[in-house]
Amino acid sequence: MVPETVPVFPLEGALLLPGGQMPLNIFEPRYLAMIDDVMAADRVIGMIQPRLDGSRNPGGDSELSAIGCLGRLTSLTETGDGRYLVTLQGICRFRIVHEKRTAKPYRICDVSIFVADLDLSAGADEVNRDGLLKSFRDYLEANQLEADWESVTRASNETLVNALSMMSPYGPAEKQALLEAPDLRTRAETLIAITEIALARGGGEDGGGILQ
């Protein structure tokens, strides 16, 4: 059962996708409280980026992007200095319906989920796997990097597309474009296009935005 009301964690440049895993280092008091609360409930939070235009609401908080991704806490480790090290497992994307007014120190939203995301393999057969692997290989060569190609070649199409998207060093606009791609095929095409633009501009790893 996927909740329709969730606490959200706004984090610029963060990309969680269905089926993907995201490690987080939690240290702000409001998000420590959020983790305590969700661990006592359904263990689900919404990862979302602040709006790309930097706008803020009347209370001074960043306005939120329309679309994020739900994640379930699958592990939690407490550190000696009061932090939580957690891992999120991506469930499905969501669209914000309404941000609720509550007494909690963190933000809570009513959301509408992308039901099709619950089938993680939907559209996987339509992915241009060869094109995706070529762009990945070209990027590694341009930046003198190496990869575990045995693991890469064994990965399913859905794992490959989402893992490469989440690991990509691009900026917030590119990450949001990858998140909002309607299906795996389009996400792969978007990642290939972004990578080709980055390579044409010099192949840098600075994580800067190119969709400006």
Side-chain angles (χ1 to χ4, degrees), residues 128-164:
N128 179 4
R129 185 182 180 93
D130 290 341
L132 185 61
L133 289 175
K134 180 182 182 302
S135 68
F136 182 47
R137 184 180 290 106
D138 290 346
Y139 183 87
L140 293 177
E141 290 178 356
N143 291 283
Q144 299 181 322
L145 300 171
E146 295 183 356
D148 179 358
W149 279 103
E150 183 177 351
S151 296
V152 170
T153 55
R154 285 202 312 264
S156 64
N157 280 356
E158 60 267 27
T159 298
L160 187 65
V161 172
N162 289 337
L164 292 181

Side-chain angles (χ1 to χ4, degrees), residues 14-34:
L15 176 61
L16 178 64
L17 291 169
Q21 290 193 333
M22 172 182 282
L24 288 173
N25 177 14
I26 309 294
F27 55 87
E28 288 189 53
R30 57 179 167 172
Y31 295 125
L32 292 170
M34 180 184 73

Side-chain angles (χ1 to χ4, degrees), residues 12-13 49 52 169-176 194 197-198 201 204-212:
E12 182 176 305
Q49 289 201 95
L52 300 175
Y170 305 124
E174 290 77 16
K175 293 295 181 76
Q176 195 65 26
I194 291 171
I197 294 171
R201 293 186 177 180
E205 284 187 273
D206 60 4
I210 57 180
L211 296 183
Q212 305 294 338

